[in-house]
Each structure stands twice: as C-alpha cells, then as structure tokens.
Amino acid sequence: MASLQSIKAVVKKISSIEPLGQHMCLFGGSVPYMYYNKESNRNHSDIDILMDDEYINIIRELAKQNNLYISELDSLNLGLGDDYGLKLFIDGVYVEFEPMSIDNGNLVRKSFSPNKEIAGIEMIPFQELTDLIVEIDIDGVKTYCQSPELIKGEKEQYRREKDLLDIKFIDSQGIDIEKYNRVRKAIELSNVSMDSYEDLRTKKSL
C-alpha cells in the first residue's frame, strides 16, 4: 500500500524522463485525486500506467540499469507469446506498466495478472480519444491519464467499497455528462479477451 503523495512522487519521476511523459497514461483509483489535486485520505495498492508499446522497452532498460528489474514480473519471460507489460517496485510503490496502442478507432490495452496467471487484451472503441485520455498536471509535471468519466464508468462495473468512494469523489468534482454517456457506451462495446498462461503457451506452441 502507498500514500497518494508517494504515488505522485513516483509518477513525477517517471513522467519527467524524456520522452516517457508524452507516451504514458495513468489509470486507477489514485488518478482522480491527482487529476483534481485533492487528497484521497487513504492508501492505494499501486499505480497503473499504460505505456505506448513502442516505449515500454525503455522502461525495461531503465529498470535493469537501476536494479529494479524483477524477471518473474516481466511478461516477456513467461512464454506467453506477446508483450503484456511488466511490474516494478519504485521507491516502495508497486507500479504496473501495460502496453497501449491505438488501432482502428480502438484504445488497445494488454495486461497480465501474476496472481491469477491470466493475460489478455482489452479494446475500447472511441469517437474522440479525449473521451478516454486527458492531460494531467502533477505539480507542474505534465503527462496523461484516463478521463474521470472513463474511470467512473469502469469503477461502476466493480462497485467495490473503494470504487464507491472514488465514484462519489468524482461525482463531487463534476463531470462532463455528454462525455460520460459516450464513455458508458464505449465500455458496453469494449471487447476483453483473457486467457490463462497455460492456454497462451499452448497457442504459442501450435
């Protein structure tokens, strides 16, 4: 678990490295509080970062150079046949890096879960990319994050206690209702394909 301040410090450190800040997108429960520059008054389990797939290898190299690399937390070492990202601990904060691309009007995200031993792809269609991704300024450091409307829409699918707190906070700050309605439709049309490690390894060997 990590405080919002420690997560902000790590995000600033990563996004200050050229050219990473312009090719990454934050998401997850801590993001609305950073976006609106408010304190969350609770700890967060991690920070999730979508990274343009052309740049994610820069993260790998930096991790190796700074003795942060954990081979078993890199999807490339799991024999899954594709790059689903990697996990790092940076200054005590658990950071999940996931490859991201834009393909034919879809935001494509690849991810994996070491705990569940699954990996896969999520595709979210969009009319305007700014419905899903917006600029964020963290103490003068600029990068990108999922829009509050998208975070709210995704959290409404899970409705865990922490999700309900985050939804309530986002609502208290005010959202773009037209954008939110478009995002809700995009979430309904999204396509998620997840497979077990075993199934992915079998597909690779065929």
Side-chain angles (χ1 to χ4, degrees), residues 17 47 49 51 69 71 142 144 150 152 156 159 179 185 188 197:
I17 300 170
I47 178 66
I49 300 178
M51 183 68 66
Y69 185 74
S71 61
K142 289 181 169 56
Y144 294 89
L150 178 56
K152 171 180 162 68
E156 286 173 337
R159 305 192 70 83
K179 179 188 286 192
K185 181 172 287 188
E188 291 173 4
Y197 286 4

Side-chain angles (χ1 to χ4, degrees), residues 13 19 32 34 48 53 93 96 127 146 162 178:
K13 177 181 289 189
M34 290 190 281
D48 302 293
D53 54 11
V93 176
E96 302 193 52
Q127 296 180 32
Q146 285 189 343
K162 64 180 181 179
E178 290 185 1

Side-chain angles (χ1 to χ4, degrees), residues 66-85:
N66 291 277
N67 296 315
L68 298 173
Y69 185 74
I70 305 172
S71 61
E72 58 267 31
L73 293 182
D74 184 349
S75 66
L76 288 185
N77 300 323
L78 301 176
L80 307 180
D82 203 349
D83 185 354
Y84 296 97

Side-chain angles (χ1 to χ4, degrees), residues 17-64:
I17 300 170
E18 293 292 342
L20 298 182
Q22 295 303 302
H23 298 280
M24 55 186 265
C25 174
L26 312 173
F27 70 103
S30 63
V31 173
Y33 303 94
M34 290 190 281
Y35 182 78
Y36 292 112
N37 196 25
K38 304 286 185 179
E39 181 54 59
S40 67
N41 296 313
R42 66 176 174 86
N43 284 326
H44 301 269
S45 58
D46 58 17
I47 178 66
D48 302 293
I49 300 178
L50 299 176
M51 183 68 66
D52 280 355
D53 54 11
E54 296 178 10
Y55 292 86
I56 199 160
N57 277 328
I58 295 177
I59 297 296
R60 287 188 170 91
E61 291 307 312
L62 288 171
K64 291 173 181 176

Side-chain angles (χ1 to χ4, degrees), residues 187-200:
I187 291 172
E188 291 173 4
L189 294 173
S190 66
N191 183 12
V192 180
S193 175
M194 303 296 290
D195 290 293
S196 69
Y197 286 4
E198 182 178 357
D199 286 345
L200 289 170

